[in-house]
Amino acid sequence: MIRRIVRELGEWRRARRDYRVLCDEGRAAHLEVSIRIHSEDYEWTGLDGITGVRTTVPLTRAGKRYVRGIVRDIEKTCVRAVLIANRKAKEGA
C-alpha cells in the first residue's frame, strides 16, 4: 500500500517535471479565459475601468499569474467605485 502511494507520487512528480519541460519548449496547453463581472450584477456592471477580459493564456506559471492579475484588476475597479461612492456620500452629508 505505502509502496504504491510512494510510486504514484514519484510518477506524478516526474509527469509534472515533464510538463514543465514541454512548457519551456512552448508546448503548454492553452486556456481560453473569459473573466468578467456577471452581467446581471447591476450594481457593478457599469463601472469605469477593467470589468472583464477575454484572452487565451498558456497553462504555465506565468499564465496562471496573468489570470490572477486580471482578477486583481477587476477587484481594484470595484474598490475604486466604492471609494468614489464613499467620497460622494461624505460630501453630500
Side-chain angles (χ1 to χ4, degrees), residues 22-77:
L22 292 172
C23 291
D24 292 343
E25 294 173 355
R27 297 170 52 199
H30 286 74
L31 301 176
E32 188 175 300
V33 179
S34 178
I35 301 174
R36 64 183 172 92
I37 294 175
H38 193 278
S39 60
E40 293 179 10
D41 199 353
Y42 301 113
E43 184 176 5
W44 302 103
T45 54
L47 300 177
D48 291 331
I50 298 172
T51 58
V53 173
R54 184 176 183 156
T55 187
T56 301
V57 295
L59 186 54
T60 61
R61 289 178 185 158
K64 291 186 277 188
R65 198 169 35 248
Y66 179 77
V67 171
R68 284 192 303 269
I70 293 170
V71 173
R72 278 192 306 270
D73 290 344
I74 293 172
E75 182 182 32
K76 286 179 188 176
T77 298

Side-chain angles (χ1 to χ4, degrees), residues 76-93:
K76 286 179 188 176
T77 298
C78 295
V79 170
R80 189 176 311 113
V82 171
L83 176 66
I84 290 169
N86 287 346
R87 287 178 180 168
K88 285 182 181 179
K90 192 181 279 187
E91 290 173 2

